Amino acid sequence: MSKASYIRRYWQLYALLSLPIMYFLIFRYGPMYGVQIAFKDFNLFQGINGSEWIGFDAFREVFGMKEFYSSLRNTFMLNFLDLIVSFPAPIILAIMLYEVKSVWFKKISQTLLYIPHFISWVIIGGIVYQLFGNQSGMVNGVLESMGLNPIPFLTEKNPWLITYLFTGVWQSAGWGTILYLAALTGVNRELFEAAEVDGATRMKKIFYITLPSIKPTIITLLILNLGKMVSIGFDRPYIIGNTAVREYSDVLSTFVYRIGLESGQYTLATVVGLFQAVVGLVFILGSNYISKKVTGDGIL
Amino acid sequence: MTVNVNQRVLKKAIGIGLTAVMGATLLAGCSSDGKSNSAAGGTDAPGKSAERVTLKVEIFDRGKTPKQYTITNNFVSQMIQKNFGDPNNINVEFVPVQRSEEVTKLNVLMASNTDVPDIVFTYDSSVFYRYAQQGGLTDVGSLLEEHGQTLKKFIGDETMAFGQLDGKQFAIPGKRAITGRYASYIRQDWLDKLGLPVPKNTDELYTTLKAFKEKDPGGLGSKTIPMGMSLGSAQLETLIYSFIKPISGDLTYSQRYELPLHEGFKDAAQFLNKLYNEGLVSKDFSLDEDKAQVSKDIQNGNVGFWSEDVDSMFYADGTLDNLYKNVPGSKVLPADILTNAKVDNKYIKSRYASNGMYIMIPKSSKRAVEAVKYLDWMATGNNLIDIYNGVEGENYDMVEGIPVVKADVSQEFQDRLFTSGDTAIISNGKNLGDQATNEKAWILGFPANNQEALKQSIDIANTDTVGPIVFGKPIESESKYGTTLSDKLNVIIVKTAMAKPDQFDTIFEQEMKDYMSLGGDKLKAELEQALTEISAK
């Protein structure tokens, strides 16, 4: 079949494909035009074209800033801890849900687990403050009435980190199970029956059937997560963070917000953004390479 | 059969077409809002549309809109359209900007060139200077000569100078009616219960706070907060000002993040450290950046002593009314207590400069003439009084040239004025004449039962004030390091306050070193340089 007639025959599919392509062109590639701000002394009123080129001056300035390094360190630290704590959570949860026999119980708990995903971080922040404050927090109120010392959940480093990580797990673990559960529906039930005949226990079945069947999904998500090591969402550290733990809660995204949008130094903010993108690319390529070497699976 | 196939194809095609249309609408959706915000409310005259122009004016949205109005279409906006817009053939359109994200949103608006309102404003001098230096603002000097004589007279030369850079008038500074900022309050009923006198200075205050903590006159147990504290300026800055030595006489560096450059800052931090470790201040003050928590605690009757903005306690159904409702028998006494040992034990506190916000016309605006005319109109005759007070006879009565709010104004009439203060941008507070008249007018705008306490508050706020040094030129380091250092100031305060007393010195030194290296040293050098320049003049 010639190319032209091939396209004519499947034009509907191409028309559908054109929408995501348009999305990427407009919202992903279009804005890359603005990357040049990193190399210009950007003047709000002259626009991108009217501003003067300054070469790598802005990069030198950013790499000389102390805050840049502390926010970079915090970004890695929070993401790394998140990877250890939050990444396995949906896997465990998905396996547990998969093992549940009662359909109605499974459905109800799935819905309940999804709900936090749809609550915005601003609201979660409010809840966290109400629950974990030192003076007015409910949890500390209970501790105090039991004669225990209050725990500074929000104002000291280690308790804060735990609060930060577990609000993350609470918010996203349920939603994260979706992909794993989808992968699990594809597993052939005969495998389990065969294992049962052979006398495998429930744990054995989990380790030798369930986990290996979702391994590709786990690896794909792990690679994607590693690629995001250097980028971090804005809302969570900004809202859960506070002045008392600023040393640990100040991350690249809040740093960009402060120097870019709050004090109007767009050039510096763009430099940081570009830096994040480049490091992110290195991470994703690197982890993909390693994963291919070690397990034979990759995403690229 | 063929018919069937054709129908199927048709169905498919319609499906794809619809999908595409929906996608396109989604994309277009982003750009189409904000265009229909005309304040005119149906007063457009279609026949004259050729020469009718639209003037866009920024307005703060504080999220307190009564349900019968919107932030862009309400009593005040309709009044402006009727009295200013229609006679001049102008559509006045208000562009809402969320109060708490004012500068961020303004930066975005300014960058867009086409969507930016014709009149914008900010309280932040470094934002104004940055726009002016980057060439983004209209020089309004000649426009004011031609169309703004009333406005010029209203603002006055002294205040007008705040909006100049290199001899050009890039902004019109609003005029501030009252320069007093903060007052302090103590629970009289707690003092009475313990048989204590009103403390007269900072040392006595400490003793009183300890008594509040130990004897618990409110019977609240661990909920008792002897001294209300937050990271908001009303609580934090008043405390710091009672320890620092002003730079020169009754003038000093005014930005909040410049406080660490003052002699005595360490004493303030140390005092707060002592209060915190002995449990005498709000335990969660580090989480309370907008003083929401401390206001709640005051209303619930948990706080013994606190500082506040001079007016903010006294609004109808405000903090004070709520406290009296929540805690029967409670009594709040405005009292000047915090003394500064470095300045002859005076009650040092900060005051505002004589200017309010910087009102600016972006260079890209094609309606600069109309913008100046609008501001000039606002300064003319009774217009400002109308904007502030609503309708004579319904909202207020004129008594000896002062608009007096009528007692028991219905909610409906009260709701008319929710945008008043944010619309009357040329005047910060009610400007009627000299400061004493303004204060009188201001007090008369409050509920009658709170007027006496407000009057005492204003007297306190005007005692021993320290104002900002006006350099008359931009301090580069302020715009460059301002936000970073603001953040750092909060960190210094919180970390040193929460440190164990024996670690205070180490942590304070460490934090100050950090502050200096984040731009504090450059800021200090530049401020000192600028200071020698103005004293040489």
Side-chain angles (χ1 to χ4, degrees):
Chain A
M1 207 188 316
S2 76
K3 255 188 194 152
S5 67
Y6 186 83
I7 289 179
R8 212 173 307 129
R9 183 158 164 202
Y10 292 111
W11 68 271
Q12 291 108 325
L13 295 178
Y14 282 100
L16 275 176
L17 183 65
S18 70
L19 285 176
I21 289 182
M22 249 162 66
Y23 166 82
F24 275 98
L25 284 179
I26 295 171
F27 292 108
R28 299 285 142 161
Y29 287 90
M32 283 191 194
Y33 170 74
V35 165
Q36 51 175 312
I37 291 176
F39 305 95
K40 284 186 160 185
D41 182 13
F42 182 62
N43 180 323
L44 213 54
F45 304 101
Q46 312 283 321
I48 294 177
N49 279 330
S51 304
E52 266 178 57
W53 293 98
I54 51 164
F56 282 91
D57 282 5
F59 284 83
R60 256 170 241 130
E61 192 174 343
V62 167
F63 293 141
M65 286 167 109
K66 214 172 144 184
E67 296 164 277
F68 171 70
Y69 293 103
S70 64
S71 51
L72 182 64
R73 184 204 65 194
N74 291 339
T75 309
F76 277 128
M77 179 186 72
L78 293 182
N79 276 337
F80 183 70
L81 290 173
D82 236 2
L83 199 66
I84 294 175
V85 178
S86 316
F87 185 73
I91 301 176
I92 297 169
L93 207 57
I95 292 174
M96 280 159 70
L97 281 171
Y98 188 67
E99 293 293 321
V100 171
K101 292 280 180 298
S102 151
V103 176
W104 66 268
F105 181 77
K106 195 167 167 178
K107 287 217 162 125
I108 289 178
S109 33
Q110 251 176 302
T111 311
L112 285 177
L113 287 166
Y114 291 165
I115 286 175
H117 174 79
F118 298 101
I119 303 177
S120 93
W121 274 107
V122 179
I123 295 168
I124 295 178
I127 298 174
V128 166
Y129 276 44
Q130 291 298 320
L131 281 178
F132 297 114
N134 289 342
Q135 190 137 32
S136 50
M138 226 154 71
V139 174
N140 275 326
V142 172
L143 286 181
E144 241 170 286
S145 66
M146 296 192 323
L148 297 168
N149 280 334
I151 301 170
F153 288 108
L154 299 172
T155 47
E156 250 169 53
K157 184 190 174 186
N158 291 326
W160 179 78
L161 279 176
I162 291 169
T163 314
Y164 174 88
L165 290 171
F166 281 93
T167 43
V169 171
W170 178 77
Q171 196 252 2
S172 61
W175 186 250
T177 57
I178 287 188
L179 281 174
Y180 297 114
L181 286 173
L184 280 170
T185 51
V187 181
N188 192 345
R189 299 297 305 191
E190 283 173 17
L191 290 174
F192 290 98
E193 284 156 20
E196 254 161 64
V197 171
D198 289 346
T201 61
R202 180 169 273 212
M203 287 315 274
K204 284 241 161 81
K205 277 188 275 177
I206 289 175
F207 276 104
Y208 294 111
I209 304 173
T210 317
L211 269 179
S213 8
I214 54 172
K215 198 181 83 181
T217 316
I218 297 179
I219 287 169
T220 309
L221 289 178
L222 187 66
I223 294 173
L224 288 175
N225 268 312
L226 282 174
K228 283 190 247 157
M229 273 303 261
V230 72
S231 66
I232 188 164
F234 172 76
D235 329 25
R236 187 163 150 219
Y238 185 75
I239 289 164
I240 308 287
N242 63 68
T243 311
V245 291
R246 188 66 82 231
E247 281 170 274
Y248 312 106
S249 69
D250 199 18
V251 293
L252 285 175
S253 53
T254 53
F255 176 65
V256 166
Y257 176 76
R258 196 168 62 236
I259 59 168
L261 283 178
E262 283 192 338
S263 45
Q265 303 181 64
Y266 299 101
T267 303
L268 300 184
T270 317
V271 167
V272 180
L274 189 59
F275 170 84
Q276 269 181 301
V278 172
V279 178
L281 187 68
V282 171
F283 264 85
I284 205 162
L285 291 179
S287 53
N288 187 54
Y289 177 81
I290 293 171
S291 154
K292 264 189 183 162
K293 278 268 136 109
V294 177
T295 66
D297 284 323
I299 51 169
L300 293 174
Chain B
M1 186 66 198
T2 36
V3 177
N4 252 342
V5 169
N6 275 343
Q7 267 180 350
R8 271 218 307 273
V9 172
L10 192 69
K11 261 188 195 160
K12 261 192 201 168
I14 289 174
I16 290 169
L18 277 178
T19 318
V21 169
M22 269 165 64
T25 336
L26 268 179
L27 296 181
C30 318
S31 63
S32 69
D33 52 64
K35 295 258 162 72
S36 52
N37 283 337
S38 169
T43 50
D44 284 75
K48 290 192 281 178
S49 63
E51 68 269 31
R52 198 169 173 102
V53 296
T54 299
L55 178 71
K56 289 192 276 184
V57 183
E58 179 187 344
I59 187 161
F60 281 151
D61 186 350
R62 297 176 196 264
K64 288 182 179 168
T65 311
K67 61 178 180 303
Q68 69 269 40
Y69 294 123
T70 67
I71 185 75
T72 52
N73 185 2
N74 50 62
F75 179 82
V76 173
S77 77
Q78 285 160 12
M79 178 170 78
I80 287 171
Q81 185 60 42
K82 190 166 129 260
N83 297 341
F84 167 75
D86 293 342
N88 294 298
N89 209 14
I90 295 171
N91 279 333
V92 183
E93 185 183 311
F94 287 93
V95 181
V97 167
Q98 216 184 26
R99 176 66 184 98
S100 55
E101 294 184 340
E102 172 223 341
V103 173
T104 323
K105 184 80 195 284
L106 187 57
N107 278 334
V108 175
L109 282 174
M110 290 300 259
S112 83
N113 253 339
T114 43
D115 272 349
V116 64
D118 301 295
I119 296 178
V120 296
F121 43 76
T122 179
Y123 280 111
D124 189 338
S125 61
S126 53
V127 172
F128 156 62
Y129 282 131
R130 190 170 66 237
Y131 291 160
Q133 282 173 323
Q134 294 195 338
L137 300 178
T138 307
D139 177 5
V140 289
S142 55
L143 289 174
L144 279 176
E145 281 306 320
E146 203 178 330
H147 305 286
Q149 285 301 336
T150 324
L151 179 65
K152 266 182 84 169
K153 211 152 87 214
F154 173 80
I155 305 279
D157 288 343
E158 188 203 339
T159 304
M160 208 53 132
F162 283 94
Q164 290 166 354
L165 177 69
D166 303 329
K168 290 192 182 123
Q169 191 80 42
F170 283 119
I172 301 161
K175 186 177 171 183
R176 196 176 274 285
I178 288 156
T179 55
R181 281 181 97 164
Y182 305 124
S184 305
Y185 307 90
I186 197 160
R187 283 282 292 276
Q188 177 78 57
D189 54 321
W190 284 19
L191 289 174
D192 292 346
K193 207 165 193 177
L194 301 179
L196 290 170
V198 180
K200 285 190 285 297
N201 54 46
T202 310
D203 289 340
E204 285 183 30
L205 174 67
Y206 172 73
T207 326
T208 311
L209 292 178
K210 276 210 96 84
F212 282 170
K213 165 102 182 162
E214 280 153 17
K215 298 187 181 137
D216 192 13
L220 298 157
S222 67
K223 278 196 193 137
T224 307
I225 303 171
M227 177 168 173
M229 182 51 62
S230 80
L231 289 176
S233 41
Q235 285 79 38
L236 185 59
E237 285 176 36
T238 36
L239 183 70
I240 297 178
Y241 263 79
S242 60
F243 284 92
I244 58 165
K245 190 168 163 38
I247 296 296
S248 84
D250 72 337
L251 295 175
T252 199
Y253 306 146
S254 60
Q255 303 285 354
R256 173 190 172 97
Y257 51 83
E258 285 159 359
L259 287 168
L261 300 175
H262 290 81
E263 186 191 330
F265 177 70
K266 187 177 176 179
D267 301 327
Q270 189 132 33
F271 187 64
L272 189 58
N273 175 272
K274 186 162 84 166
L275 295 179
Y276 184 84
N277 276 288
E278 293 176 19
L280 300 179
V281 288
S282 311
K283 276 184 213 147
D284 281 334
F285 82 94
S286 66
L287 305 176
D288 190 12
E289 293 193 37
D290 55 3
K291 66 179 183 185
Q293 185 63 43
V294 78
S295 306
K296 222 188 290 171
D297 291 334
I298 294 170
Q299 292 186 21
N300 290 336
N302 300 348
V303 185
F305 169 83
W306 67 94
S307 311
E308 246 306 0
D309 290 322
V310 59
D311 57 327
S312 70
M313 301 275 303
F314 303 106
Y315 289 90
D317 298 323
T319 313
L320 192 64
D321 287 356
N322 285 339
L323 169 65
Y324 287 169
K325 206 160 51 194
N326 291 340
V327 187
S330 58
K331 177 91 192 99
V332 169
L333 178 75
D336 219 0
I337 296 174
L338 288 164
T339 51
N340 187 324
K342 291 210 171 42
V343 196
D344 312 324
N345 282 320
K346 282 185 174 174
Y347 300 97
I348 297 298
K349 55 184 82 72
S350 74
R351 70 162 179 269
Y352 287 115
S354 65
N355 65 319
M357 49 176 50
Y358 296 86
I359 305 166
M360 304 169 283
I361 302 173
K363 192 140 211 173
S364 57
S365 164
K366 293 183 183 65
R367 302 282 163 251
V369 174
E370 286 81 2
V372 172
K373 278 185 183 165
Y374 170 65
L375 297 171
D376 194 64
W377 168 85
M378 199 184 279
T380 309
N382 264 345
N383 294 334
L384 203 52
I385 291 181
D386 290 343
I387 292 176
Y388 257 113
N389 301 291
V391 181
E392 189 171 357
E394 290 178 3
N395 287 89
Y396 71 99
D397 294 314
M398 269 315 220
V399 179
E400 297 164 24
I402 293 176
V404 180
V405 173
K406 284 171 87 85
D408 59 55
V409 181
S410 69
Q411 192 64 38
E412 185 199 341
F413 288 167
Q414 262 182 45
D415 285 346
R416 288 171 169 170
L417 302 176
F418 78 103
T419 52
S420 288
D422 292 321
T423 308
I425 45 180
I426 59 168
S427 169
N428 209 288
K430 296 176 181 174
N431 269 297
L432 293 163
D434 60 6
Q435 179 130 338
T437 321
N438 294 341
E439 281 168 5
K440 205 169 153 200
W442 201 37
I443 292 169
L444 288 170
F446 281 79
N449 51 330
N450 291 341
Q451 286 181 3
E452 184 51 35
L454 174 60
K455 196 170 166 308
Q456 292 170 356
S457 291
I458 293 177
D459 288 340
I460 291 172
N462 285 333
T463 309
D464 299 340
T465 56
V466 171
I469 300 175
V470 178
F471 293 108
K473 67 163 196 179
I475 304 292
E476 303 281 347
S477 312
E478 283 187 354
S479 44
K480 204 159 175 195
Y481 306 114
T483 42
T484 300
L485 291 179
S486 277
D487 229 50
K488 188 70 199 174
L489 170 74
N490 287 350
V491 173
I492 299 179
I493 292 296
V494 169
K495 293 213 81 173
T496 55
M498 290 167 65
K500 298 267 167 306
D502 56 330
Q503 288 165 4
F504 172 81
D505 280 315
T506 339
I507 290 179
F508 184 82
E509 297 312 324
Q510 179 57 41
E511 290 299 323
M512 279 305 284
K513 222 173 85 197
D514 257 21
Y515 170 90
M516 283 302 179
S517 71
L518 286 173
D521 48 358
K522 296 197 187 82
L523 177 65
K524 183 166 188 250
E526 197 182 340
L527 285 169
E528 279 165 4
Q529 174 67 24
L531 198 63
T532 49
E533 276 166 32
I534 45 171
S535 48
K537 266 179 204 165

